[in-house]
Amino acid sequence: MEAITTASNRRSAPMHRGGFPLNDLPARYADAVVEVRPAYLAPPTPRSTASAARALRAARWRAVGGSPDREFHHPQSQTIAVITAYSSERSQNALIASGPGWQATFSARVPDEVLAHAVAALVDHAENGSTGADLEAALAGLAEAGWSGAHRRAGTVEAIAPGSLAELRWGPDEDTGQPTMRILAGSPHGLPWYAELRGTACPAPLTEAVLAALASPGPARRRLRDIPGGQLHDLDIAPANPRTTAATATTPGLSPAALATTPGTPILSSPAPPATSHTRRAR
């Protein structure tokens, strides 16, 4: 990915954006919970796919199979989601979802927050369909978040994130002609992740949710020791506010799927589904 390689050439001294050298990070800070921005570059946690599976069970999807892969079927539709249990050495995709005429793949290193948005959207689509989804508004949100090129040109979107650490291409596939969205994101000092959503019938709420996750200004919450040292200077990192954690856990209006993704300890923030999801339910 040329943009990521280029970004690495622009970065030199191994300094955290807060100013301290990585080699001088005090050991006592290792267990500190911090806020990481952008959230789409945060490393996944051991709770990532477990939270996704819990969200589907809460929505009464039927589970088939066992560890490490678990297949979930929606009881009234033909939507299927295959989740692979988290492992620090996992090479399999974290999530593969499919239905008639579409498939979505999220790789092993996809952040918890992006995965949670995707699973919440799958639940929403299976229960409510695509009514009310606004892909143009979601794309505009990406542009407002500073992604260059986040607009349609001849039916294709080619957007690059601030800092050039993520790319999105959305348009007809060169080989099949099917509508396809491909995302590649990651620090040159860490392992990248990718996602692919393809097919003429790909659920609009799923596409909308992924765009919303990429555009969200909200932080991920991680323990400092869980962030690879070389990746620290590609991220904005700040101490976590305990009051923010408590407020997020009690915020009204979150869907059952979003609430189900909230982990038991304050490692990461609760993912919020796209704002339009509540509008769809209200209609």
Side-chain angles (χ1 to χ4, degrees):
M1 180 174 175
E2 183 178 351
I4 287 182
T5 303
T6 302
S8 68
N9 294 335
R10 291 201 302 266
R11 303 180 187 275
S12 54
M15 295 285 288
H16 171 274
R17 287 186 181 177
F20 57 79
L22 299 182
N23 294 336
D24 295 338
L25 181 66
R28 67 180 181 275
Y29 292 158
D31 285 325
V33 178
V34 295
E35 294 185 347
V36 178
R37 290 183 174 87
Y40 58 78
L41 292 181
T45 76
R47 290 176 174 79
S48 59
T49 49
S51 295
R54 186 165 64 247
L56 294 176
R57 285 194 296 268
R60 299 183 179 180
W61 288 45
R62 180 169 55 89
V64 179
S67 183
D69 295 338
R70 182 61 62 89
E71 186 173 300
F72 291 88
H73 295 245
H74 185 261
Q76 276 83 46
S77 73
Q78 299 182 55
T79 304
I80 299 173
V82 179
I83 294 175
T84 300
Y86 174 87
S87 167
S88 60
E89 299 179 354
R90 182 179 63 193
S91 59
Q92 299 97 329
N93 294 313
L95 170 67
I96 300 177
S98 63
W102 67 275
Q103 179 171 300
T105 302
F106 295 83
S107 72
R109 301 295 300 176
V110 62
D112 303 42
E113 292 73 17
V114 176
L115 188 63
H117 272 77
V119 170
L122 288 174
V123 171
D124 187 24
H125 172 71
E127 294 178 355
N128 305 303
S130 296
T131 302
D134 192 341
L135 298 182
E136 293 304 319
L139 193 60
L142 201 65
E144 291 175 4
W147 286 61
S148 62
H151 56 271
R152 293 184 187 273
R153 179 179 299 173
T156 299
V157 177
E158 294 183 354
I160 298 177
S164 300
L165 295 179
E167 292 181 350
L168 177 149
R169 188 184 187 282
W170 184 13
D173 182 82
E174 294 179 357
D175 297 325
T176 66
Q178 289 190 335
T180 303
M181 176 186 288
R182 292 188 177 93
I183 299 161
L184 180 60
S187 161
H189 306 96
L191 296 174
W193 66 270
Y194 69 86
E196 181 180 89
L197 287 68
R198 59 185 172 87
T200 55
C202 188
L206 177 58
T207 303
E208 181 186 41
V210 173
L211 291 173
L214 296 176
S216 174
R221 297 173 78 85
R222 299 289 190 272
R223 289 191 176 93
L224 192 56
R225 62 178 166 83
D226 293 330
I227 303 173
Q231 192 177 350
L232 287 172
H233 56 85
D234 295 316
L235 301 168
D236 286 319
I237 298 177
N241 185 341
R243 294 182 180 179
T244 303
T245 303
T248 302
T250 58
T251 299
L254 291 180
S255 69
L259 291 174
T261 60
T262 305
T265 56
I267 296 179
L268 52 122
S269 57
S270 301
T276 53
S277 63
H278 300 298
T279 304
R280 287 197 292 275
R281 291 189 179 92
R283 291 182 178 181

